[in-house]
Amino acid sequence: MESSDSQTSFDTDEYIFREGDPGDCAYIIESGMVEVALDKDGRKLVMATLTKGDILGEMAIIDRLPRSASARAIVPTEVMAIPLDYVSQKIEQSDPTVRMFLRLAMARYRDLNARLGQVFEGLSLGQLDAEGDGFAASTMELRSLIPQFMEMHKRIDSAVTKPAQTESGAIFGEKTLEVTRLLVTEEKMLRAAMTKKEFRLHYQPIIDLSNNKIVGCEALVRWNHPSGELLLPSRFLTHVENSDLIIDLGYWIAEQACDFQSRLCNDFQHDIFVAINLSGKQFEDQFLVPSLADIMDKTGARRERIKFEITESLLIDNPELATQSLHQLKETGAKLAIDDFGTGYSSFSYLHRFPFDTLKIDRVFVSAMARSEKSNQIVKSLVNLSHDLGMEVVAEGIESEQEAELMRSYQTAFGQGFYFSKPINETEFVKLLQKPQMELAG
Ligand code: C2E
Ligand code: CA
Ligand code: CA
């Protein structure tokens, strides 16, 4: 049976992969035993016998060349597959020096394997033609090289594939293996969560501070975990953002949120805005802006009632890409907000380069205002600057009437925070909207 990244159990004598196959995943052996061998015309040179905790099949994953040897289960074996895409992404994200060293090491390892293969083939050819001129001599030469090759091979092999025995643990220590195992498992669960529709959006009201009425909301993603727990983004979002899952999840979030805006307007006659968070990674997708425009149209959302929130770090990490995409996004008719403002490194003067409609003052300033004069000054300057640049201001993380009052006194028009409401599900949000005025939690 052909292996695939979904196959994790192999019977005795079943091949995990064969020489020449393209590499679709590497494997960690969970139990059992695997023989890695060069197989030539029914003759076999065993290169390694691997057991629980060993890694195999990593070469083709790293350099994308075909498998250089075959791997066969010699007792019933369980493996965990680490998919090519997953590893490729990690390699691409790694430091260029690490990438270079890894590729170099892999090229040398392959070269060694190839030479070992030649020795192996030469040996038997020589044996077939032992009487031939000069051939016996070269066979002898090759034969004399074998112990040397085998010794080198053994050393590299144990460094690469015997993590538990690598004392330093620096490259493939037990800890690294465990982390890899967890990350691969988590990514699998997150992908499954997408398929099984386990993600949910909650909505947190955004309030007009002059009359405590709801003017909009921010969509915040949650994972309805199979354990029954509703997980907050801090428990899973970094992982999603580090993989290309954020692209699919990002579109799903945009679609749900735009659909909600459309229904709020059409079914409930509440034409309020819905804010959607965008991650930096989503901007690497060249189709981001047209796809978001399509989603707004398809769902019937009013474009001017959709607001995309972008954090300062996105602008700092990739200003050219951000400037271009933000202008295009703005041209769709949607609104733009700069999120968590004040937590990054950008200076105030930097703001006018981007077409933001709204500035969201980060919670750290709002909560520090009562005890720090400096925070008060920062908030005042931020509000003044935003007004000068024609932007609305939303104060994030308002947790008390005192904070709401301070923000009002600084002419901040809008607020968001647990004092008004925590993020809530759609049904609760619609109920809250039916009330003439925000019923305060505090
Ligand atoms: P954020 O965009 O700054 O969202 C506001 C976060 O502050 C939310 O946390 C919200 O629950 C929390 N919050 C609101 N008011 C208060 C308050 O008064 N006190 C305190 N202590 N917290 C308050 P949440 O939902 O855990 O989200 C955390 C972050 O995860 C978000 O920060 C955002 O960066 C990210 N995130 C959430 N949903 C999405 C999403 O759909 N897409 C993307 N790309 N990122 C998301
Ligand atoms: Ca946000
Ligand atoms: Ca924020």
Side-chain angles (χ1 to χ4, degrees), residues 9-28:
S9 301
F10 294 87
D11 286 335
T12 305
D13 279 338
E14 194 174 354
Y15 277 87
I16 299 171
F17 54 78
R18 287 176 194 269
E19 200 179 331
D21 282 351
D24 55 358
C25 42
Y27 303 90
I28 300 176

Side-chain angles (χ1 to χ4, degrees), residues 218 277 309 339-340 360 362 396:
E218 176 176 0
N277 291 283
E309 295 194 2
D339 201 2
D340 302 344
K360 296 188 83 172
D362 194 77
E396 291 196 288

Side-chain angles (χ1 to χ4, degrees), residues 204 218 220-222 233 237 253 277-279 339-340 363 396-399 417-418 423:
Q204 186 176 31
E218 176 176 0
L220 295 157
V221 67
R222 271 90 184 94
L237 200 66
I253 290 168
N277 291 283
L278 292 178
S279 298
D339 201 2
D340 302 344
R363 184 163 64 89
E396 291 196 288
I398 295 182
E399 292 186 348
F418 294 172

Side-chain angles (χ1 to χ4, degrees), residues 388-442:
D388 287 349
L389 292 172
M391 288 188 282
E392 287 176 345
V393 179
V394 177
E396 291 196 288
I398 295 182
E399 292 186 348
S400 65
E401 174 53 30
Q402 190 196 7
E403 285 170 355
E405 200 41 54
L406 262 174
M407 292 315 306
R408 277 185 206 110
S409 71
Y410 292 158
Q411 314 302 316
T412 304
F414 305 101
Q416 175 181 357
F418 294 172
Y419 176 59
F420 301 108
S421 166
K422 290 199 165 182
I424 45 183
N425 69 29
E426 240 187 72
T427 319
E428 292 168 318
F429 189 88
V430 171
K431 245 192 245 164
L432 202 62
L433 270 178
Q434 318 290 358
K435 296 180 179 162
Q437 216 181 30
M438 205 55 214
E439 244 176 41
L440 302 180

